[in-house]
Structure formats: structure tokens, C-alpha cells
Amino acid sequence: MTTASVDAVADQDRKGPGRPRSARADEAIIEAVLELLSAGQSADALSIEAVAATAGVGKATIYRRWPNKEALLIDAVTTMKGPIPEPAGVSVRDDLVTLLAGMRTKRMHRYGKVTACLLPELVKSEEMHKVYQAGVVEPRRDVMRGVLRRGVESGELRADLDVELTLLMLSGPAIVQNMLRWNPAVPDEGFAEHLVDAVLRGARA
Amino acid sequence: MTTASVDAVADQDRKGPGRPRSARADEAIIEAVLELLSAGQSADALSIEAVAATAGVGKATIYRRWPNKEALLIDAVTTMKGPIPEPAGVSVRDDLVTLLAGMRTKRMHRYGKVTACLLPELVKSEEMHKVYQAGVVEPRRDVMRGVLRRGVESGELRADLDVELTLLMLSGPAIVQNMLRWNPAVPDEGFAEHLVDAVLRGARA
């Protein structure tokens, strides 16, 4: 995008006289990104033009807030994921169910579709992959890691448990099922409970 | 694409005088699809033009063999996956390791990247999702299902094993790890063995 065209869009954007950059515009932009991704628009093909058109704002409004598409995508996914959950710390089983069930709310299918449409971008860009891992995946994985480690320390889980593999055994099935109902023979109802119970059957002390 | 432009490309394609549609051209086209997808080109953004250019053939050569992009994508992925494996039927553990390790050959990273770049297309098109499930996923899952069922019948696995959930516990971690090394703390070395052993620890009779 040239400076000239940025200015042109910025002028257009100012048509609402003196309109401040509002939180509402930010929300509309984030919502537009999520709407486009969940409809099957892959992140690498997503254009700022399309986001601007869907959100009903000028491109300059987007560029004032986010320096590039990557930053906007990360913000959108982080917003979608919501705050990092804090497990109650009662039992390993209940904490894991709470964390996994959070991935399967009524917005579950949207989450999964957005994630699926983000993947090509992560394949294409090592930098984007790093940012996504560090900003979105790892903070949430670390909460679950804490639950498993506490279980090992308390003796609820086996002392020789492979914690990292167990994390993958909890998140992998949930991710592929959320994205695309990978195995349609596995029901949504009670999924988190069934998965946690099956994993813990092999993980308990 | 208009009939006129198809004809134009077909004419261009015939420049190599009398060149027959060869198996080599088919291979070059399939290889071009896989090359583009594994480089992070998402399937929904993939154009027949780009495939033709990468394969060094005319678009008409592609359209003579595949009626549309969806058919070409399915053929490419099926070719990449190779023949449906036949487990030796010795022990549940060895059969599962063989099936899972087949997902992690030296071509593993390419497989994973291609799968990741195919996902937005599956999100966008219910039809494509059905064809992919029926043609690619389900035949391979059914081989693994057979191994688990034989294990239940032989008494090697618990009689009340949730076979469908167990299938997801084997494939889910392998898929997300192949696509993007979802948990970088889990090593590639011995992955299939470690995952199968962890799942079987909770599944054995």
C-alpha cells in the first residue's frame, strides 16, 4: 500500500466529522476478521480491504491500530479465546474438564473454523507461527501443564508421567474435533469429560 | 473460465506437437499441487493457473483430467497418503505403532503442511469436507478401528473401550503435531511408540 493511498483512505475515513477511533470500531474490525475466517476465508488470503469492507470502516482506521495483518490476526484470535482460564485447583480431573470444556462452548464451532483458516498462515510464516505459539497457545497450555504437575506432586498422577505428551493427548483430539469434527462418531455431548477420563485412566498413580 | 479461454489454453497446450496426455504430466500436476500447498498456499486460494504454471503444463491438460479443483485436490492428497496400510495383525501395540509411524515418515512435515493448507477449503465447503472424510480419512481410520476391535475381541483391550474416542486420541495428537509441531516440547523421535503406549496404558484389559 502506498502512502498516497493510505492518505486517501484516511481522508475518506474522516468523513464522519471528528469521529474518534472508538472501541466500537476496534470491536467491529476484530469481529469482521473472525467472521471472514469462520466462513472459510483462509488467513493468508484475507485482505485488509475485505476486513475494512466487512467492518464498515476505512483501511486507515485498521492501520492506525494494527501495523500489519499479522498483528490484527493475533489480536483477533486472542480476543476470541478470551482471558486465560484459572482452574479451581480442586482435583486434576475437574480442572482438566473445566479447561477442555472451555474449548467447547456454544462458540466452539466458530473457534474451530477460525483456527483451521489460520493454519495456512502459520505454515507459510515461521514468524507468525512463533507469535501464535507464544501469544495464544503456550499461555493456555501452561495453565494445563500446571494442573498436571500439581497432580504429579500430589501423587494423584504417576510420578513418571510424560507431562508434555499428556498435554498433546488432551489438546490434539479437542483441536481436530473442534476444527472439523474429525471423527463424527464421537459425540459433542460430554466430550471433555470422556476425553479427560480416558487420558487419566492411563495417567493416574 | 469461458469456453473461449479453455480453447485458447488448449491450443497453447498442443504446441508440443501431438504430445499425448502422459502419466508424467499427471504426476507433475499432482506434484505441483502438493508443492504449492506445502509452501503455505491455502487450498481455497489455490488457482488452476498456478498449478499449471508450476507443473509446466497448460490449464487444458489439467481440465482434461480433473473436472474441477476439488477433484484435483482430493487426488493429490490421496496420492500423497499412499496406499491404505495393512497392519500385520500381530499385536495391537505393534499394529497401532505401524499405522501411526506411517504418518511420520521423512515426508511427515510435508504431509502436515499440505493438510493444514487444505483445512480452510474443508471449512468452506461441506461437500469437499464430505469427500475428504469419505475418500481420505475414513478408509484409514477404519483400518485402525479394525485393530482396536480385534484387541477388544481378543481380550487384549478392555471390553468397555470407547473405540471411537480412542481413535481420536491416537489421530488427534499425531495430526496437530504433524501439521505444526503443536507442542514443540514433544520430540519426533519415538513419537508413535510413546503415544500408543500412553493410550494403551488406559485401554488395556
Side-chain angles (χ1 to χ4, degrees):
Chain A
M1 184 172 213
T2 64
T3 308
S5 65
V6 169
D7 287 348
V9 175
D11 285 345
Q12 188 184 11
D13 195 50
R14 272 186 224 111
K15 270 180 190 166
R19 182 159 59 99
R21 197 196 67 197
S22 69
R24 256 174 55 191
D26 282 7
E27 278 171 27
I29 293 162
I30 292 284
E31 178 59 27
V33 172
L34 297 176
E35 184 180 325
L36 290 166
L37 290 176
S38 66
Q41 169 76 74
S42 66
D44 63 326
L46 189 78
S47 70
I48 293 293
E49 284 81 357
V51 173
T54 305
V57 303
K59 285 199 293 183
T61 303
I62 298 177
Y63 282 116
R64 271 199 298 270
R65 174 78 175 78
W66 294 276
N68 51 46
K69 187 172 82 171
E70 289 67 31
L72 174 57
L73 285 171
I74 291 291
D75 252 19
V77 174
T78 308
T79 302
M80 178 185 75
K81 293 268 182 185
I84 293 176
E86 291 184 42
V90 181
S91 77
V92 169
R93 196 257 182 192
D94 290 352
D95 283 352
L96 293 178
V97 168
T98 302
L99 293 174
L100 271 184
M103 299 169 78
R104 296 184 71 79
T105 62
K106 59 186 171 179
R107 291 168 300 178
M108 161 194 89
H109 289 298
R110 189 182 205 204
Y111 280 32
K113 286 178 175 182
V114 168
T115 305
C117 292
L118 197 65
L119 292 184
E121 186 73 17
L122 305 184
V123 166
K124 191 184 281 180
S125 161
E126 182 64 27
E127 179 58 27
M128 182 74 178
H129 186 197
K130 277 185 195 161
V131 171
Y132 184 75
Q133 277 279 334
V136 179
V137 178
E138 190 56 36
R140 283 159 184 81
R141 180 160 53 219
D142 204 47
V143 174
M144 206 176 272
R145 183 181 285 121
V147 172
L148 292 175
R149 285 192 178 153
R150 280 196 298 277
V152 171
E153 283 162 24
S154 71
E156 198 174 343
L157 302 181
R158 290 186 298 108
D160 65 344
L161 185 71
D162 185 335
V163 170
E164 297 304 324
L165 181 62
T166 306
L167 289 169
L168 198 60
M169 290 170 67
L170 290 162
S171 62
I175 291 165
V176 298
Q177 198 70 344
N178 282 350
M179 284 198 299
L180 277 168
R181 290 211 72 177
W182 201 267
N183 187 349
V186 173
D188 282 350
E189 183 70 28
F191 176 76
E193 289 83 354
H194 295 152
L195 177 60
V196 168
D197 287 340
V199 170
L200 286 183
R201 198 171 282 126
R204 286 198 190 281
Chain B
M1 183 173 212
T2 64
T3 308
S5 65
V6 170
D7 287 348
V9 175
D11 285 345
Q12 189 183 11
D13 195 51
R14 270 185 225 111
K15 269 178 190 164
R19 181 160 59 100
R21 196 198 67 199
S22 69
R24 255 176 53 192
D26 282 6
E27 279 170 28
I29 292 162
I30 292 283
E31 177 60 27
V33 172
L34 297 175
E35 184 180 325
L36 290 166
L37 290 176
S38 66
Q41 169 76 74
S42 67
D44 62 326
L46 189 79
S47 70
I48 293 293
E49 284 80 356
V51 173
T54 305
V57 302
K59 285 199 293 182
T61 303
I62 298 177
Y63 282 116
R64 271 199 297 270
R65 174 77 175 79
W66 293 275
N68 51 46
K69 188 172 82 173
E70 288 67 31
L72 174 57
L73 286 170
I74 291 292
D75 252 19
V77 174
T78 308
T79 301
M80 178 186 77
K81 292 269 180 181
I84 293 175
E86 291 184 42
V90 181
S91 76
V92 169
R93 196 258 183 192
D94 290 353
D95 283 354
L96 292 179
V97 168
T98 302
L99 293 175
L100 271 184
M103 299 168 78
R104 296 185 71 80
T105 64
K106 59 185 171 182
R107 292 168 300 179
M108 162 193 88
H109 288 299
R110 189 181 206 209
Y111 280 31
K113 286 178 176 181
V114 168
T115 306
C117 292
L118 197 65
L119 292 184
E121 187 72 17
L122 305 185
V123 166
K124 190 184 280 180
S125 162
E126 181 63 27
E127 180 58 28
M128 182 74 177
H129 187 199
K130 276 185 196 163
V131 171
Y132 183 76
Q133 276 280 334
V136 179
V137 178
E138 190 56 35
R140 284 159 183 81
R141 179 159 55 219
D142 204 47
V143 174
M144 205 176 271
R145 183 181 286 123
V147 172
L148 293 176
R149 285 193 177 154
R150 281 195 298 277
V152 171
E153 283 162 24
S154 71
E156 197 173 342
L157 303 182
R158 291 187 297 109
D160 65 344
L161 185 71
D162 185 336
V163 170
E164 298 303 323
L165 180 62
T166 306
L167 289 168
L168 199 58
M169 290 170 66
L170 291 162
S171 61
I175 291 166
V176 298
Q177 198 68 345
N178 282 350
M179 284 198 299
L180 279 168
R181 290 211 72 180
W182 201 266
N183 187 350
V186 173
D188 281 351
E189 183 71 28
F191 175 76
E193 288 83 353
H194 294 153
L195 177 60
V196 168
D197 287 340
V199 170
L200 286 184
R201 196 170 284 124
R204 286 198 191 280

